[in-house]
Amino acid sequence: MAFLKLHSTKLIVFIASCGCVACDQGSSASPPASEDAWGQPTTHPAQLFFASDCSPKVRDGVQLGLAKAAALWGQYGPLEYWVMGTDEEAGQALIRSFCDRRTELKNEVWGGCMSHHQEEASQHNMLSYLRVGQEAIKRNQPSSAMGRNGQREWGLHIFASSYPFGFDRLFDHVYPEEEIKTLFHEYFHAVQHAHLFTKEHAQREALLGPTWFVEGGAEYMALKGTATLWASGQLPRTQGYALPSFKERMRSILLDGKRYWQENCPDLHLSQMTYDHPCTHAAYSLGAWGHAWLAHRAGPDPYLDLFLPSVERLGWDSAFQHAFGLTPEAFDEAFHAFLLKETEEQLAILPDI
């Protein structure tokens, strides 16, 4: 079963300081990607870049989370993961290191890269991740942002993250386990993208599918993957923390998603919840349940075993029907009816982990 297939993996760690990238081991640049390399599990290590104010717990936690996710689903690359802290000077140094690297690998012109990633009003640039962490500290309220920001044209999976404060236990109710789950979520986006070979942006967007499918898929796989590894002792647990079970976590996002849906967009079906719609939040949580419903119907792991290997060849709609045994339209109607059932009946479809 592909979901439980383990692969060997290793990572290279870098720390940005004073505008440069200091390498702990290996070279500073990944081997250039090729058409043959894209989409195939690789032996080239993933590369992690940290602002110099990131603690050892943050560096170790990110390294562990990505290594375990890659071991579970296959190591795809070349992959870079950039992590901000909250110190302004250290953050600016990481931005310079990012643009140095983009120039070194001939992805971007240095001046254009710096202009974009230092722009205050821009979303999902490097500075925005620094600001999210700073605001969380200023307001004493946990908030985080992560994203896959690489381009297929570069042959790279590039991720960036705000300060993952759960590893430092900065807030009493936020634990490292939640940060690990988030890392699994982000890494699964690399798995999704690695199965798409076209460089045409519009075609890639169409093949990824709707918001609920992309984000809900990453969330479900992250929740299920981490639960499986915690149950088998392959992921560490925080001492004294009563880690919620898989069903408890799924119950939580179900209730949250249904409440948000019923209060803000009760007339919408899952397929209508897009990134730019006010109900995007529900698309993540209810999308994860959409994948749980599909796995219960077509199981044990149709997303990895059937959908992803066929989507580029068949197109999203046909690959969906091939993997899950019904059309996207039929799913949308059936799942809408499922969401109206009682919570205990909904929870009954989940596997025991």
Side-chain angles (χ1 to χ4, degrees), residues 187-340:
Y187 185 79
F188 195 77
H189 285 318
V191 178
Q192 292 168 325
H193 279 269
H195 286 80
L196 307 180
F197 294 85
T198 178
K199 294 181 180 180
E200 173 57 44
H201 179 75
Q203 188 176 359
R204 293 184 68 81
E205 290 295 306
L207 291 171
L208 282 170
T211 303
W212 77 264
F213 190 81
V214 179
E215 299 297 348
E219 189 68 2
Y220 178 70
M221 296 300 286
L223 286 163
K224 185 180 176 185
T226 51
T228 300
L229 297 186
W230 278 316
S232 64
Q234 296 179 67
L235 272 176
R237 296 174 55 172
T238 301
Q239 187 174 5
Y241 172 48
L243 178 68
S245 68
F246 175 62
K247 279 195 174 182
E248 288 170 335
R249 285 173 173 252
M250 290 294 288
R251 175 196 286 270
S252 177
I253 67 169
L254 173 65
L255 296 179
D256 177 69
K258 288 200 298 184
R259 180 174 57 252
Y260 195 90
W261 170 54
Q262 291 162 357
E263 291 176 356
N264 296 280
C265 46
D267 296 329
L268 287 190
H269 283 212
L270 196 58
S271 63
Q272 298 170 301
M273 301 176 188
T274 61
Y275 283 113
D276 56 0
H277 193 279
C279 265
T280 297
H281 174 77
Y284 281 67
S285 51
L286 297 184
W289 268 91
H291 279 274
W293 187 91
L294 288 168
H296 175 69
R297 171 191 170 89
D301 196 28
Y303 193 6
L304 278 177
D305 290 343
L306 297 174
F307 177 83
L308 286 176
S310 65
V311 64
E312 178 113 4
R313 174 173 53 88
L314 298 178
W316 190 84
D317 284 43
S318 295
F320 187 98
Q321 188 166 359
H322 166 69
F324 305 117
L326 75 172
T327 66
E329 294 78 15
F331 161 78
D332 208 27
E333 291 297 328
F335 185 69
H336 186 80
F338 173 78
L339 287 178
L340 301 178

Side-chain angles (χ1 to χ4, degrees), residues 23-25 32 37 68 105 121 139 148 167 184 212 222-223 228 236-237 239 284 287 352:
C23 179
D24 288 338
Q25 52 180 315
K68 291 297 185 179
L105 295 179
R139 298 183 180 184
R148 181 191 178 277
F167 289 123
F184 272 59
W212 77 264
L223 286 163
T228 300
R237 296 174 55 172
Q239 187 174 5
Y284 281 67
D352 293 321

Side-chain angles (χ1 to χ4, degrees), residues 63-290:
Q63 181 169 353
L64 173 68
L66 289 176
K68 291 297 185 179
L72 190 60
W73 297 318
Q75 182 171 270
Y76 293 98
L79 188 148
E80 299 176 9
Y81 205 95
W82 296 76
V83 184
M84 279 288 184
T86 60
D87 179 77
E88 184 72 23
E89 184 178 352
Q92 292 291 341
L94 191 68
I95 293 173
R96 291 192 296 272
S97 296
F98 180 87
C99 289
D100 286 344
R101 187 167 178 81
R102 302 283 65 82
T103 304
E104 178 187 1
L105 295 179
K106 297 180 171 55
N107 304 141
E108 294 185 83
V109 176
W110 194 86
C113 177
M114 288 293 293
S115 177
H116 169 65
H117 288 286
Q118 289 185 317
E119 183 181 353
E120 288 285 355
S122 182
Q123 292 184 334
H124 301 298
N125 65 355
M126 293 295 287
L127 185 64
S128 71
Y129 296 106
L130 174 63
R131 295 290 181 252
V132 168
Q134 290 174 335
E135 281 296 307
I137 300 300
K138 179 181 178 180
R139 298 183 180 184
N140 195 31
Q141 182 175 346
S143 179
S144 59
M146 299 85 185
R148 181 191 178 277
N149 303 316
Q151 297 188 29
R152 173 66 179 97
E153 291 83 358
W154 299 349
L156 290 169
H157 303 279
I158 301 178
F159 295 83
S161 170
S162 63
Y163 173 31
F165 42 73
F167 289 123
D168 285 332
R169 294 299 320 279
L170 194 64
F171 301 97
D172 289 340
H173 56 290
V174 183
Y175 289 84
E177 283 83 349
E178 189 59 31
E179 302 291 0
I180 293 290
K181 190 274 296 179
T182 298
L183 286 160
F184 272 59
H185 176 112
E186 293 304 322
Y187 185 79
F188 195 77
H189 285 318
V191 178
Q192 292 168 325
H193 279 269
H195 286 80
L196 307 180
F197 294 85
T198 178
K199 294 181 180 180
E200 173 57 44
H201 179 75
Q203 188 176 359
R204 293 184 68 81
E205 290 295 306
L207 291 171
L208 282 170
T211 303
W212 77 264
F213 190 81
V214 179
E215 299 297 348
E219 189 68 2
Y220 178 70
M221 296 300 286
L223 286 163
K224 185 180 176 185
T226 51
T228 300
L229 297 186
W230 278 316
S232 64
Q234 296 179 67
L235 272 176
R237 296 174 55 172
T238 301
Q239 187 174 5
Y241 172 48
L243 178 68
S245 68
F246 175 62
K247 279 195 174 182
E248 288 170 335
R249 285 173 173 252
M250 290 294 288
R251 175 196 286 270
S252 177
I253 67 169
L254 173 65
L255 296 179
D256 177 69
K258 288 200 298 184
R259 180 174 57 252
Y260 195 90
W261 170 54
Q262 291 162 357
E263 291 176 356
N264 296 280
C265 46
D267 296 329
L268 287 190
H269 283 212
L270 196 58
S271 63
Q272 298 170 301
M273 301 176 188
T274 61
Y275 283 113
D276 56 0
H277 193 279
C279 265
T280 297
H281 174 77
Y284 281 67
S285 51
L286 297 184
W289 268 91

